[in-house]
Amino acid sequence: MEGATFSKYSWIDFVFSVIGVCTFLVDWGSDVWLAAEFYRRGDVIWFWVLVGLLALSSFVVQTFSWFWFQYDRELPGFRAQTEGAAVFFGDRVKLSCALHVLQLGFLCRHISAIRQGFRVWWRREGGSEYAVYQTHDLSMLRLIETFCESAPQLTLMIYVMLHTNKARTVQFVSIAASTTSIAWMVVDYHRSLRAFLPDKAKQGWGSSLVYFLWNLLLIAPRVAALALCASVLSGYMAAHFLMLWSAFALWAWRQGTDFMDSVPGEWLYRATVGLIWYFSWFNVKDGQTRSRSAIYHSFISTDGAILLATWWCHRDPVQTQSYALALLIALPLFHLLGLLFKALYYCCFHPKLWRPPARDPGLPNDLPDAHVSLRDLSIQDGALSSRLLNKRMAGNVARFYSE
């Protein structure tokens, strides 16, 4: 498969980059507004919890971005590819370090991706490889931010609503929008991964919709169950999180992850994977993917049932009378539907099942996704390519699509 290629930077990539920086700014502004509301109403504890979540999430994302900046500087040909391409980074170590310390590295990556994408798509200049490289990094960073900030913050929002027994229409809209956003970011990350499978069918809108639905139907009940149990046993839920997060991080370590290029970076990645697993499935190692996924979903299903039972036994029957029984029935039902949609996706809607891949003459009609190796990947750029490959995302492809 030496001739395997995947598409160069397109206008769709540029649009997604612009939307990405806009949503980042809107999300940041809404977080500041919510924190100000807590402070204005005298909810000091929730104010500091929210500020702590925002600070921790920003620190984690900025640290990943800084590690990747250091790793990439050592790649052959990377400096030549990025010379004059980035707005803030390039090879300026001190400036990059200062921006990351000021928690601006992630935002600067977005702006750099927009500028580079504009040069490649609109002005027809070179540098398509670096533009694609940036979009893949941003996809991974947005996924990390989603589970470090958006998912815990959504849990907090539902908890506050249950704890105060007060809800406004805007709160329901905000919760629905946040849940949808989390599920969509998982889909966006998955679509980004498939860009590294040049000889496989791309994920169409129908396939993406089913993928989105099963993530939405699994993540939403999980967050709701956590918030419900926290509304009656806050201290228990803190211990619950620390125990499961530690166990998940150790499980990631036992699987021998090798995502980062340094030991501290790898442990940060394992800790982040532990946080993602607290809310959703995320594959980190090739081989026996189906069995690990089955073990994970069995555990999460059992844990969710325990959380719901605990909430039901300790709830206030009077205050929760209007919605308790409905939630007790709906949440397990949504979780079951999510598992069914996941099975449906892999049985009927996986891209390789409904759209034959285009391959070079003389090659077999199809090969398992796991047979696509890093050496098969290059990028069309109209000129001789130096094969600037985002090995972090390519490595995730090899793990995600392993059989």
Side-chain angles (χ1 to χ4, degrees):
M1 292 189 294
E2 292 301 329
T5 59
F6 59 89
S7 301
K8 61 182 180 180
Y9 192 88
S10 67
W11 68 270
I12 297 179
D13 298 311
F14 179 74
V15 170
F16 269 81
S17 296
V18 174
I19 293 176
V21 72
C22 291
T23 54
F24 173 79
L25 293 174
V26 170
D27 183 53
W28 183 83
S30 64
D31 292 339
V32 172
W33 173 80
L34 182 60
E37 282 290 303
F38 282 152
Y39 187 81
R40 184 177 62 84
R41 295 179 181 180
D43 298 324
V44 180
I45 295 179
W46 295 336
F47 167 79
W48 284 113
V49 170
L50 178 59
V51 170
L53 288 175
L54 297 177
L56 179 62
S57 169
S58 181
F59 173 78
V60 170
V61 172
Q62 303 296 333
T63 304
F64 271 107
S65 179
W66 171 248
F67 273 129
W68 295 353
F69 171 75
Q70 289 184 305
Y71 302 158
D72 293 343
R73 292 181 65 245
E74 306 302 323
L75 294 177
F78 187 85
R79 299 185 187 185
Q81 283 277 349
T82 59
E83 188 160 337
V87 177
F88 298 103
F89 295 141
D91 198 34
R92 290 166 285 186
V93 180
K94 292 183 179 179
L95 178 58
S96 175
C97 180
L99 290 170
H100 282 88
V101 170
L102 295 173
Q103 306 300 295
L104 296 174
F106 186 38
L107 176 61
C108 292
R109 279 184 179 269
H110 274 291
I111 298 175
S112 298
I114 291 176
R115 180 176 184 269
Q116 179 67 5
F118 180 80
R119 292 175 58 188
V120 171
W121 168 63
W122 184 260
R123 296 183 179 179
R124 306 297 182 184
E125 298 180 12
S128 180
E129 289 191 1
Y130 182 54
V132 173
Y133 196 103
Q134 287 180 307
T135 59
H136 289 312
D137 270 350
L138 285 173
S139 175
M140 184 65 183
L141 287 173
R142 284 194 294 262
L143 183 75
I144 293 172
E145 183 197 32
T146 293
F147 285 101
C148 287
E149 178 190 334
S150 301
Q153 184 177 322
L154 176 61
T155 307
L156 175 64
M157 290 170 59
I158 299 176
Y159 164 78
V160 171
M161 189 172 65
L162 293 168
H163 185 79
T164 59
N165 200 32
K166 296 178 181 179
R168 295 177 296 173
T169 303
V170 65
Q171 289 178 294
F172 286 110
V173 173
S174 178
I175 288 172
S178 298
T179 307
T180 303
S181 176
I182 293 171
W184 175 253
M185 284 312 308
V186 177
V187 177
D188 179 68
Y189 169 77
H190 180 67
R191 289 177 64 87
S192 181
L193 286 185
R194 289 203 70 85
F196 283 85
L197 297 176
D199 296 314
K200 314 305 292 182
K202 301 305 178 184
Q203 189 172 23
W205 290 108
S207 178
S208 297
L209 177 61
V210 177
Y211 197 92
F212 166 79
L213 286 175
W214 72 255
N215 278 282
L216 179 67
L217 291 171
L218 289 180
I219 293 174
R222 175 65 178 173
V223 171
L226 293 170
L228 285 170
C229 193
S231 67
V232 294
L233 294 174
S234 302
Y236 168 79
M237 287 308 300
H240 177 270
F241 168 74
L242 291 175
M243 181 178 64
L244 289 193
W245 172 65
S246 300
F248 284 146
L250 289 175
W251 190 28
W253 168 66
R254 288 293 299 170
Q255 293 187 42
T257 61
D258 56 354
F259 180 74
M260 305 289 278
D261 290 354
S262 66
V263 174
E266 194 61 39
W267 276 107
L268 175 65
Y269 173 70
R270 291 164 182 166
T272 305
V273 167
L275 180 58
I276 295 175
W277 277 340
Y278 191 70
F279 296 99
S280 179
W281 168 246
F282 183 75
N283 195 31
V284 298
K285 193 66 178 175
D286 56 352
Q288 297 181 337
T289 302
R290 187 175 302 174
S291 60
R292 286 198 301 268
S293 178
I295 293 173
Y296 171 83
H297 285 299
S298 298
F299 175 81
I300 290 297
S301 299
T302 304
D303 183 64
I306 294 174
L307 292 175
L308 279 179
T310 302
W311 165 73
W312 181 265
C313 294
H314 292 83
R315 67 188 175 88
D316 186 325
V318 176
Q319 288 189 344
T320 62
Q321 183 179 6
S322 60
Y323 60 84
L325 184 60
L327 286 179
L328 187 66
I329 297 174
L331 293 184
L333 179 61
F334 287 158
H335 183 81
L336 178 60
L337 285 175
L339 293 176
L340 292 177
F341 267 102
K342 183 173 184 178
L344 180 67
Y345 172 82
Y346 285 104
C347 292
C348 304
F349 285 90
H350 194 281
K352 70 178 180 181
L353 298 176
W354 59 271
R355 181 178 174 184
R359 304 183 62 85
D360 292 339
L363 292 176
N365 289 332
D366 193 17
L367 286 173
D369 290 334
H371 288 192
V372 179
S373 61
L374 304 190
R375 64 181 176 81
D376 300 323
L377 303 173
S378 63
I379 302 177
Q380 297 173 348
D381 199 17
L384 182 62
S385 171
S386 59
R387 294 179 181 266
L388 180 61
L389 176 67
N390 193 324
K391 67 174 184 177
R392 292 180 289 272
M393 293 291 285
N396 277 352
V397 170
R399 291 182 284 270
F400 194 91
Y401 293 103
S402 64
E403 294 195 335

Coordinates of all heavy atoms in Angstrom, one line a residue, residues 324-352:
A324 N -38.7 11.1 40.2 CA -37.8 9.9 40.6 C -38.1 8.7 39.8 O -37.2 8.0 39.3 CB -38.0 9.7 42.1
L325 N -39.4 8.3 39.8 CA -39.7 7.0 39.1 C -39.3 7.1 37.6 O -38.9 6.1 37.0 CB -41.2 6.7 39.3 CG -41.6 5.4 38.7 CD1 -40.9 4.2 39.3 CD2 -43.2 5.2 38.9
A326 N -39.6 8.3 37.0 CA -39.3 8.4 35.6 C -37.8 8.3 35.3 O -37.4 7.6 34.3 CB -39.8 9.8 35.1
L327 N -37.0 8.9 36.2 CA -35.5 8.7 36.0 C -35.1 7.3 36.2 O -34.2 6.8 35.5 CB -34.8 9.7 36.9 CG -34.8 11.2 36.6 CD1 -34.1 12.0 37.7 CD2 -34.2 11.4 35.2
L328 N -35.6 6.7 37.2 CA -35.2 5.3 37.5 C -35.5 4.4 36.3 O -34.8 3.4 36.1 CB -36.0 4.8 38.8 CG -35.6 3.4 39.3 CD1 -34.2 3.5 39.9 CD2 -36.6 3.0 40.4
I329 N -36.5 4.6 35.6 CA -36.9 3.8 34.4 C -36.1 4.3 33.2 O -35.6 3.5 32.4 CB -38.4 3.9 34.1 CG1 -39.2 3.3 35.3 CG2 -38.7 3.1 32.8 CD1 -40.7 3.4 35.1
A330 N -36.0 5.6 33.0 CA -35.4 6.2 31.8 C -33.9 6.0 31.6 O -33.4 5.6 30.6 CB -35.8 7.7 31.7
L331 N -33.2 6.2 32.7 CA -31.7 6.1 32.6 C -31.2 4.7 32.3 O -30.4 4.6 31.3 CB -31.1 6.6 34.0 CG -31.3 8.1 34.3 CD1 -30.6 8.4 35.6 CD2 -30.9 8.9 33.1
P332 N -31.7 3.6 32.9 CA -31.3 2.3 32.4 C -31.7 2.0 31.0 O -31.0 1.3 30.3 CB -31.9 1.3 33.4 CG -32.2 2.2 34.7 CD -32.5 3.5 34.2
L333 N -32.9 2.5 30.7 CA -33.4 2.3 29.3 C -32.5 3.0 28.3 O -32.2 2.4 27.2 CB -34.8 2.8 29.2 CG -35.5 2.6 27.8 CD1 -35.6 1.2 27.4 CD2 -36.9 3.3 27.8
F334 N -32.1 4.2 28.5 CA -31.2 4.9 27.6 C -29.9 4.2 27.5 O -29.3 4.2 26.4 CB -31.0 6.4 28.1 CG -32.2 7.3 27.9 CD1 -32.4 8.4 28.6 CD2 -33.2 6.9 26.9 CE1 -33.5 9.2 28.4 CE2 -34.3 7.7 26.7 CZ -34.5 8.9 27.5
H335 N -29.4 3.8 28.7 CA -28.1 3.1 28.7 C -28.2 1.8 27.8 O -27.3 1.5 27.0 CB -27.7 2.7 30.1 CG -26.4 2.1 30.2 ND1 -25.2 2.8 30.2 CD2 -26.0 0.7 30.3 CE1 -24.1 1.9 30.3 NE2 -24.6 0.7 30.3
L336 N -29.3 1.1 27.9 CA -29.4 -0.2 27.1 C -29.5 0.2 25.7 O -29.0 -0.5 24.8 CB -30.7 -0.9 27.6 CG -31.0 -2.2 26.8 CD1 -29.9 -3.2 26.9 CD2 -32.3 -2.8 27.4
L337 N -30.3 1.3 25.3 CA -30.4 1.7 24.0 C -29.0 2.1 23.4 O -28.7 1.8 22.2 CB -31.4 2.9 23.8 CG -32.8 2.5 23.9 CD1 -33.7 3.8 23.9 CD2 -33.3 1.6 22.8
G338 N -28.2 2.7 24.2 CA -26.9 3.1 23.8 C -26.0 1.9 23.4 O -25.3 1.9 22.4
L339 N -26.1 0.8 24.2 CA -25.4 -0.4 23.9 C -25.9 -1.1 22.7 O -25.1 -1.6 21.9 CB -25.5 -1.4 25.1 CG -24.8 -1.0 26.4 CD1 -25.1 -2.0 27.5 CD2 -23.3 -0.8 26.2
L340 N -27.2 -1.0 22.5 CA -27.8 -1.6 21.3 C -27.4 -0.8 20.0 O -27.1 -1.3 19.0 CB -29.4 -1.6 21.4 CG -29.9 -2.6 22.4 CD1 -31.4 -2.4 22.5 CD2 -29.5 -4.0 22.1
F341 N -27.4 0.6 20.1 CA -26.9 1.4 19.0 C -25.4 1.1 18.7 O -25.0 1.2 17.5 CB -27.1 2.9 19.3 CG -28.5 3.4 18.8 CD1 -29.5 3.6 19.7 CD2 -28.6 3.7 17.5 CE1 -30.7 4.1 19.3 CE2 -29.9 4.2 17.0 CZ -30.9 4.4 17.9
K342 N -24.6 0.9 19.7 CA -23.2 0.6 19.5 C -23.1 -0.8 18.7 O -22.3 -0.9 17.8 CB -22.5 0.5 20.8 CG -21.0 0.2 20.6 CD -20.2 0.3 21.9 CE -18.7 0.2 21.7 NZ -17.9 0.3 22.9
A343 N -23.9 -1.8 19.1 CA -23.9 -3.0 18.4 C -24.4 -2.9 17.0 O -23.8 -3.4 16.0 CB -24.7 -4.1 19.2
L344 N -25.4 -2.0 16.8 CA -26.0 -1.8 15.5 C -24.9 -1.1 14.6 O -24.8 -1.4 13.4 CB -27.2 -0.9 15.7 CG -27.9 -0.5 14.4 CD1 -28.6 -1.8 13.7 CD2 -29.0 0.5 14.6
Y345 N -24.2 -0.2 15.2 CA -23.2 0.5 14.4 C -22.1 -0.4 13.8 O -21.8 -0.4 12.6 CB -22.5 1.6 15.3 CG -21.3 2.2 14.6 CD1 -21.4 3.3 13.7 CD2 -20.0 1.8 14.9 CE1 -20.3 3.9 13.1 CE2 -18.9 2.3 14.3 CZ -19.0 3.4 13.4 OH -18.0 4.0 12.8
Y346 N -21.6 -1.3 14.7 CA -20.6 -2.2 14.2 C -21.1 -3.4 13.3 O -20.4 -4.0 12.5 CB -19.8 -2.8 15.4 CG -18.9 -1.8 16.0 CD1 -19.2 -1.2 17.2 CD2 -17.7 -1.5 15.4 CE1 -18.3 -0.3 17.8 CE2 -16.8 -0.6 15.9 CZ -17.1 0.0 17.1 OH -16.2 1.0 17.6
C347 N -22.4 -3.6 13.5 CA -23.0 -4.7 12.7 C -23.6 -4.2 11.3 O -23.5 -4.9 10.3 CB -24.2 -5.4 13.4 SG -23.6 -6.3 14.9
C348 N -24.1 -2.9 11.3 CA -24.8 -2.5 10.1 C -24.3 -1.1 9.5 O -24.4 -0.9 8.4 CB -26.3 -2.3 10.4 SG -27.0 -3.8 11.0
F349 N -23.7 -0.3 10.4 CA -23.4 1.1 9.9 C -21.9 1.4 9.9 O -21.5 2.5 9.6 CB -24.1 2.1 10.8 CG -25.5 2.2 10.5 CD1 -26.4 1.4 11.2 CD2 -26.0 3.1 9.6 CE1 -27.8 1.5 11.0 CE2 -27.4 3.2 9.4 CZ -28.2 2.4 10.1
H350 N -21.0 0.4 10.2 CA -19.6 0.7 10.1 C -19.2 1.0 8.6 O -19.7 0.3 7.7 CB -18.8 -0.5 10.6 CG -17.3 -0.2 10.8 ND1 -16.4 -0.1 9.8 CD2 -16.7 0.0 12.0 CE1 -15.2 0.1 10.3 NE2 -15.4 0.3 11.6
P351 N -18.4 2.0 8.4 CA -18.1 2.4 7.0 C -17.7 1.3 6.1 O -18.0 1.2 4.9 CB -17.0 3.4 7.1 CG -17.3 4.0 8.5 CD -17.8 2.9 9.3
K352 N -16.9 0.3 6.6 CA -16.4 -0.7 5.7 C -17.5 -1.7 5.3 O -17.3 -2.5 4.4 CB -15.3 -1.5 6.4 CG -15.7 -2.4 7.6 CD -14.5 -3.1 8.1 CE -14.9 -4.0 9.3 NZ -13.7 -4.7 9.9

